[in-house]
Amino acid sequence: MVDLIEYLPILLFLGVALALSGAFVFLPMLVARLTGTHQPYPEKLTEYECGFPAFEDSRSQFDVRFYLVAILFIIFDLEAAFLYPWAVTVFDLGWAAWVSMMIFIAELALGLAYAWKVGALDWE
């Protein structure tokens, strides 16, 4: 039977992690309240990113095409993440690594061609 004392370092680690994460979240809010920097006024609450008020409710739904383009971007971004380590070690690994990466790139190119053909990249 495993003694529970063996789990003490894990519990200490979790306790320190929770304490630090709580401190990073709540201490800035507490300091802002105590120092007086939390004084909202109309100019402070205006729009600052785009410069004009929002037209609709902020909880409005996005078009599905936005999510599709985002997913396609993530897929092809991951391809680049696989290419960098491969490019560094391709000469050490030999022809098998080169052929397998060419097959991988061909599959991704076919996927891109299919997405392009069905109009997944078109924004109307």
Side-chain angles (χ1 to χ4, degrees):
M1 185 124 201
V2 177
D3 292 335
L4 293 178
I5 197 73
E6 293 178 11
Y7 291 104
L8 185 62
I10 297 171
L11 291 175
L12 287 174
F13 180 76
L14 286 175
V16 169
L18 287 173
L20 283 175
S21 62
F24 283 133
V25 170
F26 295 114
L27 277 179
M29 290 189 282
L30 179 67
V31 169
R33 294 271 184 188
L34 294 177
T35 60
T37 57
H38 180 74
Q39 296 173 353
Y41 49 90
E43 287 84 13
K44 197 175 191 180
L45 298 175
T46 59
E47 296 80 16
Y48 61 93
E49 287 183 0
C50 59
F52 56 88
F55 297 120
E56 299 176 359
D57 184 24
S58 62
R59 294 181 184 89
S60 64
Q61 292 182 346
F62 286 100
D63 193 1
V64 162
R65 291 176 292 183
F66 174 77
Y67 296 110
L68 183 62
V69 170
I71 288 172
L72 288 172
F73 172 76
I74 289 171
I75 289 171
F76 290 106
D77 190 44
L78 286 176
E79 174 192 3
F82 282 125
L83 281 175
Y84 288 122
W86 171 81
V88 171
T89 61
V90 67
F91 294 116
D92 298 333
L93 297 176
W95 285 101
W98 188 83
V99 169
S100 64
M101 184 54 75
M102 292 305 114
I103 292 171
F104 177 69
I105 291 174
E107 289 175 356
L108 285 171
L110 284 173
L112 177 63
Y114 176 74
W116 198 336
K117 185 176 187 294
V118 299
L121 301 176
D122 294 337
W123 195 266
E124 298 172 358

